[in-house]
Amino acid sequence: MLRLRSMLFVPLALMFTASQASAVAMFTANLSGLNETTPNNSTATGFATFTLNDAMTELAMSVTVTGIDFTGSQTSDPLDNLSAAHIHALAPGAPFNAAGGVVWGFFGMPFNETAPNNRVVTPFATGVGGTITGVWNAPEGNGTTLTAQLSNLFGSRLYINFHTGEFPGGEIRGAITPIPEPATLTLLGLGLLGLGARRRAAR
């Protein structure tokens, strides 16, 4: 039993050290109309991924949205045209669907992808929607900075919001939430493995 614990402890310790040395934080967001301050029946959807670098000076974003017109000509209805897209911050203690202020705009106004402008908008070749990639750099922000918003990022108080003519306050939005690092998931798996081995040895 003691030998088994020792065998498990060594890889666990090594993996924990490795994960600490190269800890890149990752986040995701699922966007829908049901998440808006006033939930709506929009059929548009979206999914976003975010990666914060080790130095916490760059938050790389990639978001794909379907059902919102990225060019103004993907549908004949002007109400579904994309007018703006931002990251907003909730006040501490505010409920998920509360309205928060814009802290970084990457489409329309305000536009804060400026130091430098890394944004790339790629409308779908067929269908309605598109993808947007960009990097929120440390000094950028709408009256704030990425650095100042790190506590909101890790506290799940940021959300991404897409605005249209029909829904100027936001058609689809999603909370930006952290996901476990692969090393963390592996540590959890090894911990469960050790627990199972300990239970079998106790029988």
Side-chain angles (χ1 to χ4, degrees), residues 27 49-53 58-62 104 133-136 146:
F27 307 80
T49 59
F50 303 85
T51 303
L52 183 67
N53 68 345
E58 296 180 351
L59 183 67
M61 174 194 72
S62 178
W104 187 64
T133 60
V135 179
W136 185 357
L146 171 62

Side-chain angles (χ1 to χ4, degrees), residues 90-153:
L90 294 171
F96 161 75
N97 65 341
V102 175
V103 291
W104 187 64
F106 56 89
F107 190 97
M109 296 300 294
F111 187 78
N112 309 115
E113 244 280 44
T114 55
N117 183 352
N118 305 109
R119 190 200 67 176
V120 177
V121 180
T122 308
F124 291 157
T126 59
V128 181
T131 63
I132 300 179
T133 60
V135 179
W136 185 357
N137 293 288
E140 295 175 347
N142 186 52
T144 185
T145 63
L146 171 62
T147 303
Q149 293 300 319
L150 288 174
S151 61
N152 283 332
L153 176 64

Side-chain angles (χ1 to χ4, degrees), residues 29-54:
N30 288 291
L31 292 80
S32 81
L34 296 178
N35 297 332
E36 290 289 347
T37 302
T38 302
N40 61 62
N41 60 356
S42 172
T43 58
T45 60
F47 181 75
T49 59
F50 303 85
T51 303
L52 183 67
N53 68 345
D54 291 346

Side-chain angles (χ1 to χ4, degrees), residues 6-201:
S6 299
M7 290 172 62
L8 285 172
F9 175 77
V10 173
L12 283 172
L14 289 174
M15 293 186 66
F16 179 78
T17 303
S19 68
Q20 291 294 97
S22 59
V24 176
M26 300 185 70
F27 307 80
T28 60
N30 288 291
L31 292 80
S32 81
L34 296 178
N35 297 332
E36 290 289 347
T37 302
T38 302
N40 61 62
N41 60 356
S42 172
T43 58
T45 60
F47 181 75
T49 59
F50 303 85
T51 303
L52 183 67
N53 68 345
D54 291 346
M56 297 188 181
T57 57
E58 296 180 351
L59 183 67
M61 174 194 72
S62 178
V63 55
T64 300
V65 169
T66 59
I68 290 179
D69 190 337
F70 270 46
T71 65
S73 59
Q74 291 179 318
T75 74
S76 58
D77 184 0
L79 292 178
D80 67 358
N81 291 353
L82 177 61
S83 58
H86 317 111
I87 290 177
H88 299 243
L90 294 171
F96 161 75
N97 65 341
V102 175
V103 291
W104 187 64
F106 56 89
F107 190 97
M109 296 300 294
F111 187 78
N112 309 115
E113 244 280 44
T114 55
N117 183 352
N118 305 109
R119 190 200 67 176
V120 177
V121 180
T122 308
F124 291 157
T126 59
V128 181
T131 63
I132 300 179
T133 60
V135 179
W136 185 357
N137 293 288
E140 295 175 347
N142 186 52
T144 185
T145 63
L146 171 62
T147 303
Q149 293 300 319
L150 288 174
S151 61
N152 283 332
L153 176 64
F154 284 100
S156 300
R157 291 190 298 273
L158 297 183
Y159 65 89
I160 183 171
N161 204 11
F162 277 70
H163 307 256
T164 62
E166 184 175 4
F167 299 100
E171 179 160 344
I172 58 173
R173 71 183 257 187
I176 300 174
T177 57
I179 59 175
E181 298 173 32
T184 302
L185 292 174
T186 304
L187 285 171
L188 178 61
L190 285 172
L192 293 175
L193 177 64
L195 179 62
R198 189 164 60 249
R199 286 180 175 174
R200 285 193 298 272

